[in-house]
Amino acid sequence: MNSKTFGQVLGAVGIAIVLSSPILLLFGAAGTNFVLWQAIIGILLAGAYVAMDPGQVGRMLSGKGTFFAATAGGLGLVLVAVVAVANYLGAAKFPKTWDLTKNKIFTLAPDTAKTLHNLTQEVHAVAFYTPTDRDYGSVKDLLERYKDAGGTKFSYEFDDPDKSPGKVRRFNIKKDSGPALVVTMGKQQDKVQSVSEEGLTNAIVKISHGGEKKIYFTSGHGEVDIKDTGAHGYSQVVKALENEGIQSDTINLLDVKEIPHDAEAVIVAGPQKKLLDPEVKMLTDYLKVGGHVVVELDPQVDSGLDGLLKDYGIQANNDEIIDPLSRLAGTNLDVPVIGQYAEHAITKDFNEATLFPQTRSLTALSEPDVSRPVALATTNPSAWGETDFAQLAQGRASPEGMVRGSLAVAIAASKTLPAGRADDRSNETRLVVFGDSNFPNNRWGSVGPGNQDLFMNTVSWMAGDTDRITIRPRSRDASHLTMSQQQMTLVQFFSIDVLPVTLLAVGIAIWRVRRSK
């Protein structure tokens, strides 16, 4: 490489470094002193090029190519300025955002939009954060999305807890528990337990439904434990119900004279022993006066409720559903994947797959004095009800001689009561029967995409909260890459300075060397 070519390379590197210096400073990828020294080095390298071939510099500046290049560069700068101004004015007057994340973490779930749409009064959120708090930005973005979706029905404000002692006392904010978010509607108020879309929507649901409701789970027959945090317990779904303002408690039917009057529903979840006649009678009498009951049965278990179910046109078959297509979904043969749902209040617009591990099939009977029950959820046509339990115990199953087709795993029955009866709990008797008690538990409730929602929709229908029959927002986590400040600075430096400068320098150098030949 001769001195002329070497000088052109030095000049190209110098020009690239000088051009990159203000960009580096603008994006904060390096300190002011570093950028200053970088600019000085770039000027010195460009000066070296001028010193090594001053005649070439004069010819280059006076040439037609330089004129056209300068004209093109000027027009380019004008175009960039026009685009920048148009973008600024458009963003200011017509703001529009697009959520391009895989899990749509910046888009409100349909349930949240539905909740905000159904508000009858304005909900006001008070966020006790300061701009220096770590989560201030994310909380503000979340509240802004709610405001955009809720319009005049949702508003928010930020308060410094140190400057607003009155509000801190009013909302019972604990200073040692960090920042807090509270939602209010009229005289109702509730703290957001988890500052996320799920937590905020649940808090809005609580205050907009005017107090808490209560359901009872029966006990004494080996039913599911609602406090059990293990795989077979119901602690997670019970917590989810509590977040929506529905409290759960247990009841032993032999210890009470009647179903408590505050019961929105009674749930018999997976009894492993037969209910006694007095218990069955209590449930029967409760249904006759507009009670709401959910029954979850398991295969090969005599619950003692066959007569009660038959009175409402439901038959629990003595079988266990097998579906070969379950293999395609990665589950066992005895875990049918359900994707077919009826047009019922519980399953309207419900499109989530549910898994029913070891479920028996149900049949809707035609009774003269009862409207035909509705099969809420049915299996694929490839399924059958296996009755050879000895063969199942050996891990084998055959469809020969078995009932095949779309089999019901959930059935709902209802009956409107005559008006004017003072002792009625409600104006409609409601009964829902599932062929499995495992689908909403701590294990399967999160494995099946719609398992927990289907159970909660059923409870919402029982409690009269039809606007809560929906697919609820999930805790959707963004993908994070955790880096130290030093690592972030290094990435910025290489991506904003080193790589662009190198490419620009190589391009200028090749262009100048070719032009000089």
Side-chain angles (χ1 to χ4, degrees):
M1 181 185 294
N2 56 38
S3 59
K4 180 179 178 181
T5 302
F6 181 67
Q8 290 176 332
V9 172
L10 290 180
V13 174
I15 293 172
I17 290 177
V18 170
L19 292 176
S20 70
S21 296
I23 299 176
L24 192 65
L25 184 63
L26 177 65
F27 284 94
T32 305
N33 291 335
F34 181 89
V35 174
L36 178 61
W37 279 108
Q38 176 175 294
I40 292 174
I41 293 173
I43 293 172
L44 291 176
L45 291 176
Y49 166 55
V50 173
M52 295 179 72
D53 192 1
Q56 177 65 22
V57 175
R59 290 190 297 273
M60 181 181 68
L61 294 177
S62 61
K64 292 183 178 180
T66 303
F67 172 76
F68 289 125
T71 302
L75 291 175
L77 290 175
V78 171
L79 179 61
V80 170
V82 170
V83 172
V85 172
N87 185 63
Y88 173 78
L89 294 177
K93 293 191 175 183
F94 308 101
K96 179 66 177 177
T97 59
W98 290 271
D99 186 357
L100 301 179
T101 58
K102 179 181 178 181
N103 295 324
K104 300 298 179 184
I105 60 176
F106 300 114
T107 301
L108 296 180
D111 175 45
T112 298
K114 181 179 179 181
T115 300
L116 294 172
H117 176 75
N118 291 334
L119 290 175
T120 56
Q121 300 181 52
E122 179 187 350
V123 171
H124 184 68
V126 183
F128 290 91
Y129 289 77
T130 64
T132 58
D133 288 322
R134 183 185 62 181
D135 297 326
Y136 178 87
S138 60
V139 173
K140 185 175 182 180
D141 289 342
L142 178 64
L143 293 174
E144 193 63 31
R145 290 198 292 274
Y146 273 71
K147 182 180 178 182
D148 291 340
T152 58
K153 295 181 179 180
F154 184 88
S155 61
Y156 72 90
E157 65 176 298
F158 279 87
D159 269 310
D160 187 336
D162 293 327
K163 296 180 180 179
S164 305
K167 286 188 177 181
V168 168
R169 290 191 298 270
R170 175 187 170 192
F171 295 120
N172 194 26
I173 302 299
K174 306 295 182 183
K175 291 186 178 181
D176 56 351
S177 62
L181 180 62
V182 179
V183 290
T184 65
M185 187 176 75
K187 295 182 179 180
Q188 298 286 334
Q189 66 180 53
D190 190 58
K191 285 185 181 179
V192 178
Q193 300 300 323
S194 172
V195 184
S196 62
E197 181 184 351
E198 183 180 15
L200 181 52
T201 298
N202 285 338
I204 294 174
V205 168
K206 274 189 179 182
I207 62 174
S208 62
H209 281 63
E212 296 180 335
K213 298 184 177 182
K214 196 167 187 178
I215 60 174
Y216 287 88
F217 287 80
T218 62
S219 63
H221 315 87
E223 293 96 331
V224 175
D225 187 350
I226 64 173
K227 296 181 180 180
D228 183 7
T229 58
H232 299 290
Y234 271 27
S235 62
Q236 292 180 10
V237 73
V238 164
K239 179 63 176 177
L241 288 170
E242 181 185 344
N243 289 338
E244 295 194 0
I246 298 178
Q247 295 294 320
S248 302
D249 202 352
T250 57
I251 182 174
N252 190 321
L253 298 179
L254 293 177
D255 293 340
V256 296
K257 293 182 179 181
E258 63 176 2
I259 305 297
H261 282 272
D262 62 349
E264 297 291 340
V266 174
I267 300 177
V268 186
Q272 301 304 302
K273 294 181 181 180
K274 189 175 181 180
L275 273 71
L276 300 179
D277 290 342
E279 297 173 295
V280 176
K281 184 179 184 304
M282 185 177 295
L283 291 174
T284 302
D285 293 342
Y286 172 61
L287 285 168
K288 288 180 178 179
V289 294
H292 303 153
V293 175
V294 179
V295 177
E296 297 174 357
L297 303 173
D298 291 316
Q300 305 184 59
V301 176
D302 180 8
S303 65
L305 296 172
D306 290 347
L308 182 151
L309 301 185
K310 189 175 181 180
D311 289 341
Y312 290 89
I314 301 173
Q315 175 180 296
N317 302 313
N318 188 27
D319 61 9
E320 185 173 332
I321 294 179
I322 301 297
D323 185 2
L325 286 182
S326 299
R327 296 287 194 190
L328 299 178
T331 63
N332 296 330
L333 291 175
D334 60 352
V335 186
V337 180
I338 309 301
Q340 302 177 77
Y341 306 99
E343 280 293 319
H344 186 273
I346 294 175
T347 50
K348 185 180 180 181
D349 299 327
F350 192 85
N351 55 13
E352 297 281 339
T354 50
L355 306 180
F356 277 71
Q358 297 180 324
T359 180
R360 66 200 303 174
S361 67
L362 307 171
T363 301
L365 305 174
S366 296
E367 293 294 328
D369 58 341
V370 179
S371 59
R372 186 177 179 85
V374 178
L376 295 177
T378 53
T379 66
N380 295 306
S382 57
W384 72 85
E386 180 65 57
T387 59
D388 190 341
F389 298 115
Q391 184 177 229
L392 272 179
Q394 298 174 5
R396 295 183 289 110
S398 173
E400 295 182 8
M402 304 297 171
V403 178
R404 304 191 64 175
S406 296
L407 307 176
V409 297
I411 292 182
S414 60
K415 182 179 180 181
T416 303
L417 302 179
R421 297 182 2 170
D423 294 335
D424 287 347
R425 303 292 186 100
S426 72
N427 62 358
E428 186 178 49
T429 294
R430 293 179 176 180
L431 173 64
V432 176
V433 182
F434 292 97
D436 169 41
S437 66
N438 293 310
F439 78 95
N441 68 19
N442 295 340
R443 178 190 177 189
W444 293 100
S446 56
V447 173
N451 281 28
Q452 191 174 97
D453 278 333
L454 180 59
F455 179 81
M456 295 181 67
N457 282 359
T458 302
V459 175
S460 295
W461 184 59
M462 292 292 179
D465 293 337
T466 54
D467 60 329
R468 296 304 306 144
I469 297 176
T470 182
I471 298 174
R472 292 156 179 82
R474 305 291 190 266
S475 296
R476 296 169 289 181
D477 296 326
S479 299
H480 295 285
L481 175 62
T482 303
M483 294 188 296
S484 65
Q485 185 62 43
Q486 184 179 7
Q487 290 172 325
M488 291 177 63
T489 302
L490 192 62
V491 169
Q492 281 185 311
F493 176 68
F494 273 93
S495 60
I496 297 176
D497 191 46
V498 175
L499 185 59
V501 165
T502 301
L503 294 176
L504 182 60
V506 170
I508 295 176
I510 293 174
W511 174 66
R512 286 306 309 153
V513 170
R514 287 183 175 180
R515 286 291 302 272
S516 63
K517 289 183 179 180

